[in-house]
Amino acid sequence: MTAEAVVSELQHTAAELHAHGALRYRAAAEHELRRLGHHIHRRTRPGKSAGIGTESLTERAHQVARLIVDRKTKPEIAAELFLTPKTVETHIRNMLRKLDVDSRVGIARAVERADREDYAPRQ
């Protein structure tokens, strides 16, 4: 089997495992892909680099922000999103910087404000 065929098979396997929620095994397939020198593409939507406010957040950061709005703690967010608490902390730190706020309350307010603007009637 050629290296290209192995990479192709591992990519297909990782996608199937992801689709079926087998995250641990998907991670193992992706580890093998990295070992073979293959770049793993982001699984979430990137933020807009020229975006303002919540537009600049990645899809994963939006998920974390929604849970902050729901008053979840870092360990609760980590458990719900299958992340480590340290990764959640990193997402929060990045959101504080991108949203130019200094607390989790500021993150929640920014998300709620963006929601109101999204659902406001257009004139």
Side-chain angles (χ1 to χ4, degrees), residues 69-106:
V69 170
D70 292 341
R71 299 181 180 194
K72 302 277 187 180
T73 64
K74 276 189 270 191
E76 290 170 334
I77 294 169
E80 190 159 331
L81 298 178
F82 303 102
L83 301 172
T84 67
K86 184 68 175 172
T87 300
V88 172
E89 190 175 307
T90 299
H91 282 298
I92 292 171
R93 184 176 56 250
N94 290 337
M95 285 187 282
L96 292 170
R97 179 181 47 79
K98 288 179 177 182
L99 299 174
D100 195 27
V101 296
D102 56 7
S103 68
R104 290 167 53 107
V105 171

Side-chain angles (χ1 to χ4, degrees), residues 3-18:
E4 293 88 24
V6 171
V7 167
S8 176
E9 190 63 33
L10 280 170
Q11 287 173 324
H12 174 74
T13 301
E16 286 294 314
L17 291 167
H18 178 75

Side-chain angles (χ1 to χ4, degrees), residues 41-47 58-61 63 91:
H41 296 286
R42 295 178 72 108
R43 288 182 294 274
T44 62
R45 175 192 53 80
T58 64
E59 182 178 338
R60 181 61 90 182
Q63 293 169 343
H91 282 298

Side-chain angles (χ1 to χ4, degrees), residues 11-48:
Q11 287 173 324
H12 174 74
T13 301
E16 286 294 314
L17 291 167
H18 178 75
H20 290 91
L23 304 181
R24 181 173 146 210
Y25 298 110
R26 181 204 66 208
E30 289 176 346
H31 175 76
E32 288 301 313
L33 282 165
R34 282 189 205 93
R35 201 171 65 74
L36 293 170
H38 185 73
H39 175 73
I40 306 299
H41 296 286
R42 295 178 72 108
R43 288 182 294 274
T44 62
R45 175 192 53 80
K48 296 179 183 175

Side-chain angles (χ1 to χ4, degrees), residues 54 66 69 105 107-117:
T54 58
R66 291 261 165 248
V69 170
V105 171
I107 293 170
R109 287 180 180 155
V111 170
E112 289 172 335
R113 185 173 40 252
D115 285 347
R116 281 193 307 273
E117 291 170 3

